[in-house]
Amino acid sequence: SSGINAEWPSRPGVLVDHFSLRPGSGGTGLHPGGDGMVRRLRFRRDLTLCCLTERRSTQPYGMHGGGCGARGRNVLERCNGQVINLGAKCAVQVVPGDVFLLETPGGGGWGHPDNGEKPPGTTRDNARDTAREDMPAKLRKVEVRGSVAQYTRNQESA
């Protein structure tokens, strides 16, 4: 919701002005992509702002006819009125009164939104395997491991 005006306990000098979903940023599809987030941070002292983000120049892609999600944006609104598009990766000095607007990308959609039919051979159980078929042959052989893979397995087994 907007108007939070709460200081991050772990980040003194940073005021959260706004935090919300980014409606409409998810791609269209039988299963639409999730909406991104909007965060508006106001700085109350001199700091270094570092951004290490992705999907600022390319959209998150949809699969099996699903639409792309919206690109993310990193915008710095200087207290003197100057507005700067920071791009995906940067480090910049900020002063009291500067505002950072972070818009995370929306997720890509899956499936054709018009007909409500899933492509042949796709089910909840094999959706990940079907997605792998869209990858180049060289990448399909990569074993999926790590905490994200374990999280995915846990979610799919529920």
Side-chain angles (χ1 to χ4, degrees):
S1 72
S2 63
I4 292 174
N5 291 327
E7 194 163 310
W8 278 354
S10 61
R11 300 285 182 258
V14 179
L15 187 70
V16 179
D17 274 351
H18 180 90
F19 186 87
S20 68
L21 284 174
R22 187 177 170 205
S25 59
T28 59
L30 178 61
H31 299 283
D35 286 336
M37 301 293 293
V38 177
R39 294 173 185 89
R40 188 174 169 85
L41 309 176
R42 182 174 307 276
F43 300 100
R44 298 172 57 159
R45 64 183 182 129
D46 293 346
L47 293 168
T48 302
L49 170 66
C50 297
C51 297
L52 183 60
T53 58
E54 293 290 335
R55 298 294 183 185
R56 276 22 186 191
S57 58
T58 59
Q59 296 171 284
Y61 56 89
M63 296 188 71
H64 296 292
C68 294
R71 291 176 185 88
R73 292 189 329 147
N74 298 333
V75 177
L76 181 62
E77 300 169 359
R78 294 283 192 185
C79 59
N80 65 6
Q82 182 183 20
V83 177
I84 304 166
N85 182 346
L86 297 175
K89 294 166 179 58
C90 68
V92 64
Q93 294 301 123
V94 294
V95 298
D98 285 352
V99 173
F100 176 55
L101 176 65
L102 171 67
E103 294 180 347
T104 64
W110 185 90
H112 296 278
D114 297 333
N115 60 18
E117 294 179 19
K118 295 182 181 180
T122 58
T123 65
R124 178 184 165 103
D125 295 333
N126 71 4
R128 181 181 49 189
D129 296 332
T130 303
R132 294 185 121 217
E133 290 171 9
D134 290 345
M135 295 179 178
K138 179 169 77 172
L139 295 178
R140 277 186 244 146
K141 297 175 185 175
V142 175
E143 181 182 348
V144 179
R145 320 181 279 205
S147 60
V148 173
Q150 183 60 49
Y151 175 81
T152 302
R153 284 191 292 274
N154 292 344
Q155 292 296 311
E156 289 175 351
S157 67

